[in-house]
Every structure is written in C-alpha cells, then in structure tokens.
Amino acid sequence: MQKLFEPLSFTRGPAMKNRFMLAPLTNMQSHEDGTLSDDEFHWLTMRAKGGFGLTMTCAAHVQAIGQGFPGQLGVFSDDHLPGLTRLAKTIKAEGSLAIVQLHHAGMRSPSNLIGADPVCPSNNEEYGARALSTAEVEQLIEDFIAAAERSEKAGFDGVEIHGAHGYILAQFLSPKINQRDDQFGGCLENRMRPIREIIKGIRQRCGDDFNVSLRLSPERFDMDLGDVIQVAKGVFAAGDIDFLDMSLWDVRKEPEDEAYKGRSLISYFTELDRGTVKLGVAGKIMRQADVEYCLDAGADFVLIGRGAILHHDFPEQLAKDANFVPISLPVKADHLKQEGLGEKFITYMSGWDGFVQA
Ligand SMILES: Cc1cc2nc3c(=O)[nH]c(=O)nc-3n(C[C@H](O)[C@H](O)[C@H](O)COP(=O)(O)O)c2cc1C
C-alpha cells in the first residue's frame, strides 16, 4: 500500500511523485492539422490534477504520413508547438511529469486520412502499403528525433517511443512484416536498429535530464515473444532509456505462445536484469489489488488506461480508500462528460465494446 504512493526516481530528470502513470490514450480530440484543442487540453490536465505522477499524451504522429487516427495530436511541425507548450506547462504545474508519446502508424495509417498509400518496412498487400527506401527509413528515424527535440522545446520532461501495437517500429521488429534486406531487415539486431538509432539520436540531441522511454507489446501483430524479450534485454543492458513500458493488455495473463505458457507474461519481463532502467506495465489495472499484484511481481510502476478514463482522479481515489472500485461498465455518456471527456472522445469510446451505455 505504502509503496504505491512512494516517489520513483529515474536516471534522468525529475522523479515521479507516485507509481501511477496515465497510459497513452488516443482520444480523437485534436484539430485536423494536429494542433491541440481545448477538449484535449482539458482531458489531460484534469488527469494531472487527479494525482497521476506522470501524464502521457496520446500517440502523437511524427510525420504527417504516419497519422493513424482522425483528430490525432501531431508533433511533426513547429505549428504544434504553442499547444504542446501550453499543455506541458499546465501538466507540470500540477506536479505531474509531462511526456509525449511519439508515434507513426506505418501501414496502419488509413489512406483516406493521409491522402496517400501508407508506408511500411516492406510492401504489404493486405494494407496496400509501400516499402520505405533506405533513405526514407533514415528520414523516419530523423523525424522521431526531431519530434523529441520539439517536445523538449515545448517544455515536456520527456518522450516515450511507441514501439508497440503493430505500428511502424513494431512493423520493423516483426520478422513476418519486415522483409527488408538492408541494414533495417533480417536479423533482430537490424530489425531493432530504428529503435536503437532513435534512442541514440535523442540522447545526443536532447538535454541530459530529458526522460526517454520505450513502449513495447509482446503479442499479436506478428510479433515474436522471444524477440520482444531480447529487445527488452537489449534496452535494459544499454541503459540509455529511463523506463520501459510493457503494454500487456492484461497484466495477469499467460502468453499466447505455447512455448512460453505455464507462467505469467509479466514474469518474462520482471525477471530480466533491468540495471538502472525502470519497468512499468499496463493492462486491466482497475483496483488496488491489481496495482499491488504488479508491484509484487517486480514492476516499478503501473500505467492506467480505462480506469483513468472512468475516473480522472484514480490515484487520489485509491489514496483515500484502498477498496475503491471504479464505476461499473457500461457507463452513461454523462459520467464521461463529467470526467472531462469531450464529445469526440465519448463517441470513440462508444466503439469500445461494452464501455458506454447505448
Ligand atoms: C481508448 C484507448 C486509446 C488508446 N490509445 C493508445 C495510444 O494512443 N497509445 C498506446 O500506446 N496505447 C493506447 N491504448 C492502450 C492503453 O495505453 C493501455 O495500454 C490499454 O488500454 C490497457 O490498459 P487498461 O486496461 O488500463 O485500459 C489505448 C487504449 C484505449 C482504451
């Protein structure tokens, strides 16, 4: 119980005041050009006020062609700077760390949204995606780094590199999707090269106290669990990120892969020697017992997604009452409105099975 509300320090930058991080949550509320809207500002700053030790933005695209959702926050142009600056300032004023999640959807960008065929490590018929040239991969890496510099300029404490959920960096990691024969394809070292070069570039070009992290997901989207464990090992050994965020979708689950069954998925990551890097997990953490389960399993902190959509002050609720139970699903749209979600976000949540009352 005590540990949940103890600060957590990182190798670089300020400490987090407790073990609760707001998970990155796509909310469709930005303006069409990727600039921040008042609705998105309100939704996020309310979470910072509600006691989250770290408030992360939704996935924010680093290239226009990498947009994955309508109303997505952008971080690919200096036009985004005023909104980002306002957001970082207010989150930090609430005593929460402010982090931008850097994203590129790759082949998962809808062509009607980006007005072109989506891009991918290799041609992909299923998604109608075209392969990036080697020079374009180098530009992609550069644009992730430039987006990190822009986030720092806006006053954010750091960035999280989105390497999860089948988006472009996960597409590079996948031995199935990535069929390249240059230095970005083939062996795992080559497939993880974009991630490694992005981290290296951010470290070189951003300040010494800039918090850099990575999100990975070990399953689905043609990922190989063994590969993802190796990537985690690699970033732990390199020690140049501050935390690894494992998106497990259910922190208590067993792996899908037969070869790894018989123990929890979380244990494959908590057992690794993480050196100075901190480890967080996300997936169906709704009660104090779930948070304790994760910390007891060896995680340093938790990320809260749906619990934070339901309650802007989820950490404060748990601090007041260890038996706090979130409102049961489905919820009324009015409840979400009171919790700071704008109309577009509520409409998006209506598409999540059983979340919003019809
Ligand atoms: C509405 C919604 C939007 C999401 N958007 C993102 C996102 O932008 N980036 C990301 O890495 N994960 C995203 N996720 C995954 C969450 O960050 C989180 O890992 C997942 O929801 C599991 O946590 P939970 O069970 O507490 O919701 C999203 C999840 C939901 C429900």
Side-chain angles (χ1 to χ4, degrees):
M1 165 66 191
Q2 209 48 33
K3 200 170 169 198
L4 276 59
F5 297 97
E6 275 174 13
L8 179 69
S9 59
F10 297 106
T11 312
R12 304 160 193 88
M16 204 165 101
K17 68 182 172 195
N18 58 32
R19 306 303 172 102
F20 294 89
M21 205 175 267
L22 178 71
L25 291 161
T26 290
N27 55 83
M28 315 269 194
Q29 298 184 122
S30 287
H31 296 300
E32 238 175 69
D33 60 359
T35 53
L36 186 84
S37 71
D38 287 345
D39 277 358
E40 185 148 22
F41 175 83
H42 180 58
W43 134 259
L44 280 171
T45 53
M46 206 165 150
R47 269 69 204 161
K49 266 196 191 88
F52 283 92
L54 185 151
T55 304
M56 199 176 308
T57 68
C58 65
H61 47 312
V62 303
Q63 286 184 342
I65 202 169
Q67 183 172 0
F69 311 91
Q72 186 174 358
L73 183 67
V75 63
F76 58 86
S77 153
D78 287 346
D79 294 345
H80 300 131
L81 269 174
L84 291 170
T85 305
R86 177 178 169 226
L87 182 60
K89 191 174 165 205
T90 311
I91 291 173
K92 293 195 327 189
E94 296 296 345
S96 185
L97 299 194
I99 301 281
V100 177
Q101 190 187 43
L102 303 181
H103 169 252
H104 189 299
M107 70 180 185
R108 299 188 68 202
S109 295
S111 55
N112 60 355
L113 191 64
I114 56 175
D117 286 343
V119 297
C120 187
S122 303
N123 288 326
N124 192 294
E125 243 180 73
E126 190 189 340
Y127 285 85
R130 69 165 181 89
L132 292 168
S133 67
T134 301
E136 284 175 320
V137 180
E138 277 155 5
Q139 187 62 50
L140 174 74
I141 292 167
E142 168 59 28
D143 287 343
F144 266 94
I145 300 166
E149 286 183 297
R150 190 169 290 116
S151 305
E152 185 178 42
K153 198 168 167 196
F156 281 87
D157 294 298
V159 289
E160 175 174 272
I161 300 158
H162 195 339
H165 306 164
Y167 295 116
I168 206 159
L169 297 176
Q171 290 159 28
F172 273 97
L173 283 181
S174 165
K176 235 172 153 181
I177 298 168
N178 182 349
Q179 298 291 325
R180 301 180 71 88
D181 53 15
D182 62 1
Q183 68 271 37
F184 300 110
C187 63
L188 180 59
E189 194 188 339
N190 284 356
R191 284 181 276 126
M192 68 184 282
R193 193 178 304 282
I195 292 178
R196 291 259 21 114
E197 290 199 359
I198 291 166
I199 297 170
K200 208 170 89 195
I202 297 174
R203 276 282 158 249
Q204 279 168 359
R205 284 161 49 184
C206 291
D208 290 343
D209 58 354
F210 197 58
N211 184 313
V212 181
S213 59
L214 173 67
R215 176 167 250 207
L216 296 172
S217 56
E219 301 191 309
R220 297 172 56 213
F221 303 109
D222 292 319
M223 298 307 291
D224 177 271
L225 176 53
D227 278 355
V228 179
I229 294 169
Q230 288 309 314
V231 176
K233 262 190 182 167
V235 291
F236 284 154
D240 49 4
I241 59 166
D242 295 286
F243 65 85
L244 177 69
D245 160 13
M246 288 306 308
S247 172
L248 305 176
W249 289 99
D250 177 354
V251 290
R252 295 177 194 265
K253 82 188 292 288
E254 270 192 36
E256 305 293 321
D257 188 334
E258 284 300 328
Y260 291 85
K261 277 203 187 297
R263 42 185 281 213
S264 61
L265 183 55
I266 196 174
S267 67
Y268 285 98
F269 297 94
T270 51
E271 76 177 3
L272 301 176
D273 177 2
R274 71 189 76 142
T276 57
V277 180
K278 301 299 192 294
L279 174 66
V281 289
K284 295 199 175 134
I285 300 169
M286 296 297 271
R287 298 177 188 217
Q288 176 144 327
D290 302 325
V291 183
E292 282 168 352
Y293 167 84
C294 296
L295 299 188
D296 287 347
D300 295 301
F301 64 90
V302 293
L303 295 107
I304 310 291
R306 281 160 288 190
I309 295 177
L310 295 171
H311 299 283
H312 74 282
D313 54 355
F314 185 91
E316 280 179 2
Q317 294 285 358
L318 284 191
K320 274 192 291 197
D321 175 10
N323 296 313
F324 173 71
V325 178
I327 186 170
S328 42
L329 297 175
V331 285
K332 291 202 170 93
D334 260 357
H335 170 82
L336 297 176
K337 207 169 163 185
Q338 272 168 27
E339 288 296 328
L341 279 74
E343 251 168 57
K344 286 180 181 155
F345 195 4
I346 295 174
T347 304
Y348 181 44
M349 290 317 296
S350 304
W352 285 73
D353 215 17
F355 202 87
V356 186
Q357 235 171 64

